[in-house]
Amino acid sequence: MDLALTEEQQLIVDMVRRFVRTEIVPLEAKLDPDADELPIEDFDRLVAMVKDMGLYGLDTPPEWGGPDIDLVTRCLIAIECGQHRAGLYAPCYYVFGGARQAQLFEATEAQKDKYLHPMLRGEKKVFFGLSEPSGGSDPARAIQTRAVRDGDHWVLNGTKLWISGADRADYGLLFARTGGPGRGGVTAFIVETEWEGFNVRRAVHTLRSAKYATEIELKDLRVPHENILGAEGGGFAIANDRLMRQRIPYAAECIGIAVKANEMAVEYSKVRETFGAPLSERQGIQWMLVENEIDIRAMKWLTFDAACKADRGDPFRTESAIAKLQCSELGGKVVDRSMQIHGGLGVAKDLPLERWYREIRIRRIGEGPSEVQKHVIARDILGAGLR
Amino acid sequence: MAVRMDKSWLSLSSENVTKLAAHLGVYQLANDDGEILYIGMAGGRTLFGLKGELQKALDEPPTGVTRFRVEVNMAYRTRRLELLAAHVSDHGGLPIANTDIDESSLGRIRPG
């Protein structure tokens, strides 16, 4: 495998890097250290710039107006977009287009008119409601939210937890059990947040102070039968396909802050003196920087390996699990070492390291914890019979 | 942690503000009737955290403000948004002095 970029990829990387350094980073000096939103005038101005760059709607397929880029290029952009304070969870403050619910591309024509197109135009916000208090890593078994058929409707009852953006969304995807235990018993529904019986009960505060998750109570929520997404009992496949693919750019985002944290550590080690010599002359510091370098290279190789296989149409389940696992784990180590090299300054809100340290810890759990990624890899090694 | 802040109200006086530490967190300002008039936060760029923010409120109190209460909270941003959204749910709108935030930017929650 060759990691050399094509001419077009290099142009995109240079353009996005320049954009982050000249447009995004200067704005952060005026924002709260945990901010994840820009003032609307800055947001609109930067969105217009991104559209001029031809990169708006990064996760939107080209036939729906998104840029015609492959997954490798998408990862290269993710690495660049992450290199600022809010970069891990709010890369470039979403001016490249927010997260899209890709499952809606599998909707019926009527559903697309009503739900997909407004989302793509940026008029409506959408959430993804899979996890429950009973678990999120094993949705096929953990989903307890029940949907019962009542004429032309389904009646949903249950609780969803860790759901991002449900309180600000216009509609979303909810997964509920319509059949027996296991994968075949789960169905995906499109639900509107204004419907009676849909209640966001509380915000769930986490290490990630910039954004909260929510807890949703579903109480006799009536959903029209035509709002089933995909086939009845086909919800698990819809959720799983999306999660497997998006783990790759998710991994790349971890590389972005690792690269930046290491860059800061290298620079700081050259100027900070202790006992009459720069830190960079201390072997203990040199080894930390070396370990950072090795970890970052490993993260890149594994992520691009997964992205290349996905782009070629080869199986990539194991590769995406390895990339997600290693980037969240090694990214945390790189940020931790970089923080250590900065000493007291590393834990202060003056620098972005403390925010990255908190946020990358979440990455070992979000989108499937490390242990679940290992389970996926083990299943591929040992055979599908492993449960 | 309860969705609504349940700390006791303190008189907005120099004596009480002086006792505050410079922690990060959220605070509420109210009138004599306990009507919440403003929900604010002491974020990472404040000079003296909650103490600094309440000192500002003491120096230039919004009309009618006589009381305050604080909650030390590192998740000051999300906690403030939650308190504002809960206020909108309970009272149909933002506290009167919260002209610094657009209600439409808040989430819609219905705390039990």
Side-chain angles (χ1 to χ4, degrees):
Chain A
M1 188 169 65
D2 183 4
L3 285 188
L5 305 188
T6 65
E7 191 177 342
E8 185 187 6
Q9 285 171 335
Q10 190 63 58
L11 280 170
I12 290 174
V13 165
D14 291 344
M15 183 167 61
V16 175
R17 185 172 296 171
R18 197 162 49 244
F19 178 82
V20 171
R21 291 182 181 180
T22 60
E23 301 295 337
I24 299 293
V25 172
L27 289 175
E28 291 192 320
K30 299 174 195 158
L31 299 175
D32 181 87
D34 272 357
D36 73 332
E37 288 179 336
L38 292 174
I40 189 67
E41 60 274 15
D42 287 321
F43 181 81
D44 289 344
R45 175 175 59 82
L46 295 180
V47 165
M49 287 181 73
V50 170
K51 286 181 175 173
D52 286 344
M53 287 156 62
L55 292 175
Y56 187 74
L58 281 179
D59 298 313
T60 304
E63 59 270 32
W64 294 96
D68 190 7
I69 54 172
D70 56 18
L71 201 51
V72 169
T73 309
R74 175 69 185 87
C75 289
L76 289 166
I77 294 171
I79 292 171
E80 296 303 323
C81 281
Q83 294 187 37
H84 61 99
R85 189 189 290 266
L88 187 58
Y89 276 100
C92 291
Y93 296 89
Y94 315 112
V95 298
F96 282 75
R100 304 291 192 198
Q101 300 307 333
Q103 294 85 353
L104 285 177
F105 293 111
E106 298 172 36
T108 64
E109 289 308 310
Q111 289 171 341
K112 283 176 181 167
D113 284 344
K114 192 170 181 183
Y115 299 113
L116 175 65
H117 297 161
M119 178 187 80
L120 293 177
R121 290 194 296 267
E123 297 165 1
K124 299 290 183 184
K125 292 179 178 166
V126 187
F127 72 91
F128 183 77
L130 181 66
S131 296
E132 300 193 1
S134 51
S137 297
D138 180 20
R141 294 177 184 83
I143 287 179
Q144 295 179 0
T145 293
R146 198 78 219 175
V148 177
R149 185 83 185 255
D150 180 22
D152 292 338
H153 284 73
W154 291 80
V155 181
L156 273 63
N157 281 284
T159 303
K160 294 286 176 183
L161 190 61
W162 310 115
I163 310 303
S164 297
D167 60 322
R168 298 172 77 173
D170 299 282
Y171 39 82
L173 306 181
L174 276 181
F175 295 82
R177 194 163 294 286
T178 52
R183 299 177 177 199
V186 177
T187 298
F189 295 88
I190 306 171
V191 305
E192 299 184 19
T193 56
E194 288 296 327
W195 287 345
E196 195 173 337
F198 182 93
N199 297 306
V200 177
R201 283 303 186 198
R202 68 182 180 112
V204 185
H205 305 281
T206 67
L207 286 172
R208 181 183 161 204
S209 169
K211 266 268 195 297
Y212 49 76
T214 66
E215 179 176 323
I216 304 171
E217 177 199 66
L218 308 169
K219 195 170 182 183
D220 295 330
L221 174 68
R222 292 183 67 81
V223 182
H225 180 73
E226 68 253 25
N227 274 41
I228 284 182
L229 181 66
E232 187 181 327
F236 182 82
I238 287 175
N240 210 34
D241 288 352
R242 172 212 191 218
L243 293 175
M244 188 168 75
R245 189 171 179 86
Q246 77 180 25
R247 277 188 195 120
I248 303 173
Y250 190 85
E253 287 169 356
C254 300
I255 303 174
I257 62 163
V259 166
K260 195 66 189 172
N262 185 50
E263 189 181 296
M264 290 170 61
V266 168
E267 289 306 309
Y268 190 72
S269 73
K270 291 178 186 170
V271 297
R272 172 67 168 168
E273 291 195 3
T274 57
F275 305 103
L279 287 178
S280 57
E281 293 187 13
R282 311 287 179 201
Q283 192 177 49
I285 300 295
Q286 291 168 2
W287 285 15
M288 282 197 265
L289 294 173
V290 169
E291 286 163 358
N292 277 1
E293 184 67 28
I294 293 168
D295 285 347
I296 289 169
R297 290 187 190 210
M299 292 159 75
K300 286 182 177 175
W301 274 99
L302 292 168
T303 301
F304 289 121
D305 177 45
C308 282
K309 285 185 173 145
D311 281 339
R312 285 202 302 266
D314 293 345
F316 63 97
R317 181 172 55 190
T318 299
E319 287 76 6
S320 77
I322 292 173
K324 194 275 177 186
L325 169 67
Q326 287 297 84
C327 287
S328 56
E329 298 271 351
L330 297 181
K333 289 181 179 175
V334 171
V335 170
D336 184 69
R337 288 188 206 107
S338 302
M339 186 180 251
Q340 188 71 14
I341 290 169
H342 279 82
L345 200 51
V347 297
K349 283 191 179 293
D350 300 45
L351 296 183
L353 290 161
E354 65 86 27
R355 178 171 177 175
W356 295 338
Y357 182 81
R358 284 182 284 121
E359 293 187 339
I360 199 152
R361 181 63 185 84
I362 302 171
R363 291 267 164 153
R364 285 165 53 193
I365 297 173
E367 298 284 330
S370 296
E371 294 70 25
V372 170
Q373 305 307 327
K374 288 177 182 173
H375 176 67
V376 169
I377 299 161
R379 204 163 46 192
D380 282 352
I381 293 170
L382 297 170
L386 186 70
R387 299 192 64 79
Chain B
M1 184 173 68
V3 172
R4 299 173 186 87
M5 201 191 290
D6 55 5
K7 310 274 181 184
S8 301
W9 290 107
L10 294 169
S11 166
L12 183 62
S13 65
S14 181
E15 186 186 2
N16 282 331
V17 170
T18 304
K19 289 180 194 162
L20 291 172
H23 292 302
L24 305 182
V26 292
Y27 63 94
Q28 293 179 329
L29 304 177
N31 61 18
D32 281 335
D33 297 327
E35 181 189 355
I36 296 168
L37 303 178
Y38 185 77
I39 298 171
M41 71 175 194
R45 293 214 189 279
T46 54
L47 253 186
F48 291 103
L50 287 165
K51 188 192 193 89
E53 291 302 296
L54 268 300
Q55 184 62 51
K56 277 194 256 176
L58 183 64
D59 293 342
E60 292 182 45
T63 306
V65 166
T66 57
R67 304 171 175 190
F68 75 97
R69 57 186 175 187
V70 303
E71 179 182 295
V72 175
N73 198 324
M74 288 295 287
Y76 50 85
R77 287 182 60 83
T78 55
R79 180 63 173 140
R80 182 186 185 226
L81 292 173
E82 181 182 41
L83 289 170
L84 287 164
H87 192 280
V88 171
S89 174
D90 291 343
H91 303 286
L94 289 168
I96 196 161
N98 272 112
T99 53
D100 51 356
I101 191 159
D102 178 4
E103 186 178 325
S104 67
S105 71
L106 293 174
R108 297 180 303 278
I109 67 171
R110 298 185 187 98

